[in-house]
Amino acid sequence: MPWYDGGKPIKVEGGIKARTRRGSIGSAWWSRRFIDILERICDKGRLSRGRAYARQGQVLSIDLSPGEVRAAVQGSRRTPYKIVIRIEAYDESRWAVIEEAVAAQAVHRAKLLAGEMPTEIEELFAALGIDLFPRDLDMDCSCPDWGFPCKHLSAVLYLLAESFDDDPFLVLAWRGRTREQLLGSLADEPADDPLWVEDVPFADRLADFYAPGATAHRPERRPATAAPDLLLRVFPPPGDLTRPLTPAYRSLTDT
């Protein structure tokens, strides 16, 4: 089918605009990874026109849910075009495997709990035989352009990548796991993690926070158990001062 232009788009107020006015869209590694896939499988001309649409604010709305993105884009016709972009959303059993693998990597787990997306997470998914980013996209637009993708789809894809910049957990939410679900699972006490420490609210520990020997598990103050002559052995006095200073050293260990 020949490419359908449709004329100039109708200008809209309050549309979603890309932040970048020139050059590439998407700055974080996960956003660029998504853009690299698009630019490899999609028509470059339509992607270029899609960037222009994204920067003009022609996209009216974008709604992301597990396995699906729905959007509305204002083109040259009065009625906005309807967009649907689908990928595979993973079920609970597959996510259980993913979360177990993430929890086994202390650095990955710590970064995710801190709100960061570790660069190695794509390799972790690949080692499990699971794709983090889609290899291909099932996309539909209600416009008459049969190209792949049309400029309306391209605009939505670029803005989607930019939204990944703001919140990397949207990449995982598209695969079926929200930020709250994932972090809630990773924050649970690992049964066999010897380094796990119970998180006690600071307000509950305020009275004994500075007490010697206080820990999250044992906030009680423990008596000193130093050997009476420990200071003498560690810091011996010079010359023949050992005898006269011994009582003073011992008194320090008793306080």
Side-chain angles (χ1 to χ4, degrees), residues 66-135:
E68 187 175 88
V69 167
R70 289 186 174 270
V73 180
Q74 182 62 63
S76 58
R77 296 185 176 183
R78 185 173 300 275
T79 302
Y81 297 123
K82 296 180 179 180
I83 304 289
V84 182
I85 306 170
R86 304 179 186 87
I87 65 171
E88 181 185 3
Y90 300 138
D91 58 20
E92 286 296 319
S93 61
R94 188 169 294 187
W95 269 111
V97 172
I98 296 170
E99 290 172 349
E100 182 179 0
V102 172
Q105 300 291 328
V107 174
H108 299 355
R109 178 170 172 263
K111 286 185 176 181
L112 287 168
L113 288 172
E116 302 176 23
M117 182 71 76
T119 56
E120 301 85 359
I121 195 168
E122 188 176 10
E123 297 177 5
L124 184 147
F125 271 68
L128 297 173
I130 303 172
D131 291 323
L132 174 59
F133 297 98
R135 295 176 182 269

Side-chain angles (χ1 to χ4, degrees), residues 14 30 39 42 46 97 136 187 211 230 239 243 248 250:
W30 51 86
E39 293 180 345
C42 299
R46 289 181 173 83
V97 172
D136 50 26
L230 177 62
R243 183 182 297 274
R250 287 177 174 173

Side-chain angles (χ1 to χ4, degrees), residues 159-224:
L159 289 176
L160 188 60
E162 198 169 74
S163 72
F164 293 159
D165 269 346
D166 299 330
D167 185 0
F169 287 87
L170 288 177
V171 177
L172 304 176
W174 203 12
R175 284 295 192 189
R177 212 54 159 186
T178 66
R179 180 191 185 107
E180 292 73 19
Q181 289 174 322
L182 178 64
L183 296 189
S185 173
L186 295 180
D188 289 340
E189 176 185 356
D192 56 351
D193 186 356
L195 299 180
W196 183 87
V197 176
E198 181 183 1
D199 184 16
V200 179
F202 180 72
D204 295 345
R205 300 176 54 199
L206 192 58
D208 62 5
F209 184 75
Y210 295 103
T215 68
H217 291 296
R218 296 184 300 275
E220 74 280 0
R221 181 169 181 161
R222 294 182 296 175

Side-chain angles (χ1 to χ4, degrees), residues 4 16 32 41 43-45 47 58 71 76 98 137 141 149 156 171 190 209 211 238 243-244 247 251 254:
Y4 174 82
I16 305 172
R32 289 307 313 165
I41 67 175
D43 178 82
K44 295 186 182 301
L47 287 176
Q58 297 301 124
S76 58
I98 296 170
L137 297 165
C141 178
V156 173
V171 177
F209 184 75
R243 183 182 297 274
S251 67
D254 294 335

